[in-house]
Amino acid sequence: MDMLTIGAFAKACRLSPKALRLYDELELLRPARVDPETGYRYYAVGQLEQARLVAWLRRLGMPLARIRRVCAMAPGPAAREIRAYWAQVEAETVARRDLAAFLVDHLSPSPRKDTSMLELRYSALSDTGLVRTANQDTAYAGTRVLAVADGFGPGGAPASTAAVEALKFLDDEPLPAGSVLNLLEDAVQGATQAVQDIASDGEDAGTTLTAMVWTGSQLALVHIGDSRAYLLRDGELFRITHDHTVVQSMIDEGSLTPAEATTHPQRSLLLKALGSGSAAPVPDLRLHDARPGDRYLLCSDGLSGVVPDEWIARILTSSAVPEEAVRTLVDAANDSGGPDNVSCVVADVESVG
């Protein structure tokens, strides 16, 4: 059998020796022989075709776990798997393109419009779902504060309630946009302490928290966990929060695809939450300029985990008022099996008069 050194094999297949060593460790591309004394790797000429396939698939951006599956397939099924992967990439690229357009528009300097005559119209709804025996979610919509919290653990229900209660003082008076983020950060400290107090009473307790505070011209966002905030603007739906979960971090690293994340056994494992830890987690904080016609959605993963974003967009687009939107969204989650508590807050930015 014709053998090539790792250097010659790397040059022939256009993979670096470092990559070949990694693929050996991952059992993706094992050498034909390893010298027992030196540990030096040798590859068979017949392995070049598989090595080139691995290199091509990596250039496509395919995760290694999926490449392993493709390499184990016959040519016909492998072709179908690559076609399915690329269709998924194109769909995700469209979604990222739309998000990039939104961010460019959101961050680009523009003449300040008179937003002094804007107001919010809002509605909140929380439902136990069809499987859980109790509701550990809290949904709230007030004059200025919009919030969703998803509790977990034996004390999850009081934890989510306490987290939202810690924000309600922001409902009481007008808030200048320049200081609202500092106030929100302080409120997270209060929410953390409130949840810790519940845990100190002997109950394991934690909660997510996703909330927005209306200043009269902007909405300030605070986010911890895997509840979500969306914006419907000009007919396009944008997710404006980033899940603080193990699977999202794996997606960010490229080791997991969004499709694979939906069935991952650790998809509900949080990296950040309000809980019994010694310190408050660092929240995501930012301001969003409001426009007439904007519609915001805050929701727990009881909605986003079972209802696809395209369905959510369709419901938000077709519902005339927030009250109709939250009811239809909750119904959609329950029509999809209702495996979890589901909570929604929908708020419209409207011109006064």
Side-chain angles (χ1 to χ4, degrees):
M1 181 171 56
D2 293 334
M3 303 291 285
L4 298 173
T5 65
I6 188 172
F9 189 78
K11 185 175 182 180
C13 67
R14 298 188 178 182
L15 285 170
S16 69
K18 181 178 179 181
L20 289 172
R21 286 189 287 269
L22 173 62
Y23 299 158
D24 179 14
E25 293 170 3
L26 295 175
E27 299 183 0
L28 178 61
L29 184 61
R30 305 303 298 268
R33 186 172 73 85
V34 178
D35 189 294
E37 294 183 3
T38 65
Y40 208 73
R41 295 169 172 86
Y42 294 88
Y43 292 82
V45 173
Q47 291 181 281
L48 282 171
E49 186 66 26
Q50 182 182 5
R52 288 171 180 145
L53 176 60
V54 171
W56 291 330
L57 293 175
R58 287 302 290 161
R59 288 179 64 188
L60 283 180
M62 184 178 286
L64 291 174
R66 195 158 185 173
I67 290 176
R68 186 182 294 111
R69 293 205 303 270
V70 171
C71 290
M73 294 176 175
R80 290 191 291 273
E81 180 70 11
I82 295 169
R83 186 182 298 113
Y85 168 74
W86 192 247
Q88 175 187 319
V89 169
E90 289 181 325
E92 292 169 359
T93 300
V94 169
R96 289 198 299 270
R97 180 199 65 200
D98 292 342
L99 178 58
F102 162 72
L103 291 173
V104 168
D105 182 57
H106 177 65
L107 297 173
S108 296
S110 58
R112 191 80 173 161
K113 296 179 181 179
D114 181 10
T115 57
S116 60
M117 299 300 288
L118 295 178
E119 64 181 6
L120 288 185
R121 183 175 181 177
Y122 48 81
S123 184
L125 184 63
S126 186
D127 188 84
T128 305
L130 303 181
V131 175
R132 300 293 177 88
T133 57
N135 192 351
Q136 294 187 308
D137 283 5
T138 299
Y140 174 79
T143 307
R144 292 183 178 84
V145 176
L146 314 169
V148 165
D150 182 355
F152 54 87
S160 68
T161 300
V164 173
E165 288 291 333
L167 300 182
K168 285 187 179 179
F169 77 94
L170 298 170
D171 248 345
D172 294 337
E173 59 185 45
L175 299 169
S179 64
V180 68
L181 292 182
N182 291 333
L183 290 172
L184 268 177
E185 194 164 17
D186 292 342
V188 170
Q189 297 283 343
T192 300
Q193 186 58 56
V195 175
Q196 289 176 346
D197 290 344
I198 293 168
S200 67
D201 290 337
E203 291 190 285
D204 182 21
T207 184
T208 69
L209 179 64
T210 300
M212 303 190 86
V213 178
W214 175 241
T215 69
S217 63
Q218 294 177 308
L219 279 157
L221 170 71
V222 59
H223 170 65
I224 301 166
D226 65 349
S227 296
R228 291 181 177 181
Y230 292 86
L231 167 63
L232 183 73
R233 172 175 286 176
D234 298 330
E236 296 286 341
L237 184 69
F238 305 97
R239 175 151 62 102
I240 57 176
T241 53
H242 196 69
D243 292 347
H244 299 142
T245 60
V246 169
V247 296
Q248 184 62 58
S249 69
M250 295 171 71
I251 292 171
D252 296 341
E253 294 167 356
S255 60
L256 197 69
T257 68
E260 292 167 339
T262 60
T263 57
H264 195 280
Q266 292 183 314
R267 60 187 177 277
S268 299
L269 188 59
L270 295 172
L271 292 177
K272 282 186 185 182
L274 297 178
S276 56
S278 59
V282 178
D284 294 345
L285 293 163
R286 59 180 171 274
L287 286 169
H288 285 266
D289 289 327
R291 294 185 188 176
D294 283 351
R295 172 167 278 183
Y296 286 87
L297 164 67
L298 309 183
C299 66
S300 64
D301 67 342
L303 176 72
S304 59
V306 296
V307 180
D309 282 3
E310 53 266 30
W311 291 14
I312 292 175
R314 190 180 310 126
I315 291 169
L316 291 175
T317 302
S318 62
S319 299
V321 294
E323 293 83 358
E324 178 188 352
V326 294
R327 169 45 60 192
T328 307
L329 288 166
V330 168
D331 287 346
N334 287 332
D335 289 344
S336 299
D340 198 357
N341 307 146
V342 54
S343 295
C344 303
V345 173
V346 172
D348 291 348
V349 179
E350 300 182 345
S351 298
V352 176

